[in-house]
Amino acid sequence: MNYYPDDIIEEVRLNNDLVEVVSEYVRLEKKGGGYFGLCPFHSEKTPSFHVEPVKQLYYCFGCNNGGNVFHFIMNIENLTFPDALRFLADRAGIVLPEPDDKEEQQRIKVRKRILEINRVAARFFYSCLATGKGSEALKYLRNRGLSNSIIKRFGIGYAPNEWDLLSNYLLKEGFDETILIQSGLSIKNKYDRLIDRFRGRIMFPIFDIRGNIVAFGGRVIDDSLPKYINSPETPCYSKGRELF
């Protein structure tokens, strides 16, 4: 089901050149009036993936996958059409109107709120690394050869080993329990108490292709298990789509 007018969809399509979009995923080589590369949808050694710049269509002669820029993004990012439309609208800097469908409006609202709370949490983790609570974590990173510039560039932080430090901070920042749980940053224990999912871990933000923080990965600095914990799947984060 489409939630947006045809003219909006067409505007997004026209502002996302297929060759440029595909080139972000596939190394293309110009041959004649088109471009060829190795198909991203099946394994091959000889390029059979063809992009036609004039018609703005692609087709693979090996697996028969083809279509326009929307089909390509839907297939390679594993997105529904509305999500692919928003993905490409963001890429082109186009602000989409709110859809008429109430359920879709709510889904968009939740997704935006999760991205917002992730940004706040990332700043919290980053600030904790610079305090006394993060001294051992910072020492660990230094011993692994990470400089200040690398830590800052990737937004690496630290989740102190306290039960509800982040949860209480986020509540004070105006987020409610529901979004804390939906984001995967907090969980409820057996006593129905809100506690932090990540504790005593070096924190690595997980970004999508647009630079949004969609999730986190946390690593311990000692020998305790589990060594790594990632955010659960959310409306913003699919483990099969984002690389960490």
Side-chain angles (χ1 to χ4, degrees), residues 160-224:
N161 194 18
E162 300 183 30
W163 285 105
D164 53 10
L165 189 65
L166 174 66
S167 296
N168 288 335
Y169 175 80
L170 294 173
L171 290 171
K172 290 178 181 178
E173 287 294 304
F175 298 98
D176 58 36
E177 285 192 4
T178 300
I179 203 67
L180 265 69
I181 293 172
Q182 287 177 321
S183 68
L185 290 167
S186 302
I187 57 177
K188 285 286 188 75
N189 65 10
K190 63 181 180 180
Y191 303 108
D192 201 37
R193 175 186 171 188
L194 195 68
I195 61 174
D196 299 347
R197 178 182 297 275
F198 301 100
R199 302 185 302 275
R201 294 176 181 273
I202 293 173
M203 299 300 297
F204 301 89
I206 300 174
F207 298 89
D208 66 12
I209 194 171
R210 289 163 285 185
N212 297 312
I213 300 174
V214 294
F216 293 92
R219 188 195 194 285
V220 296
I221 58 177
D222 54 24
D223 296 327
S224 60

Side-chain angles (χ1 to χ4, degrees), residues 3-121:
Y3 304 104
Y4 300 95
D6 289 343
D7 59 334
I8 293 293
I9 295 173
E10 183 64 5
E11 180 186 359
V12 172
R13 186 187 70 82
L14 292 174
N15 281 276
N16 283 277
D17 179 77
L18 183 60
V19 175
E20 294 180 3
V21 172
V22 172
S23 294
E24 295 177 3
Y25 302 87
V26 179
R27 183 177 179 180
L28 296 175
E29 182 179 349
K30 196 174 190 309
K31 292 184 179 180
Y35 294 81
F36 281 86
L38 295 175
C39 181
F41 304 119
H42 80 285
S43 179
E44 64 177 8
K45 295 182 179 180
T46 303
S48 61
F49 184 85
H50 177 243
V51 180
E52 169 52 63
V54 176
K55 296 180 180 180
Q56 289 289 291
L57 296 172
Y58 75 92
Y59 183 76
C60 176
F61 295 97
C63 67
N64 300 318
N65 191 312
N68 61 21
V69 69
F70 293 116
H71 298 108
F72 180 80
I73 289 298
M74 288 169 66
N75 283 313
I76 203 160
E77 291 285 348
N78 191 29
L79 299 176
T80 63
F81 178 79
D83 285 339
L85 179 66
R86 286 190 289 274
F87 180 99
L88 290 169
D90 287 348
R91 182 183 181 276
I94 297 173
V95 178
L96 294 176
E98 290 295 327
D100 295 329
D101 183 88
K102 298 299 182 183
E103 289 186 6
E104 183 65 11
Q105 287 181 5
Q106 181 60 26
R107 198 166 75 91
I108 292 173
K109 182 179 179 181
V110 169
R111 187 178 184 279
K112 288 181 178 178
R113 196 62 171 158
I114 290 176
L115 292 178
E116 183 181 351
I117 198 173
N118 283 347
R119 286 195 298 270
V120 174

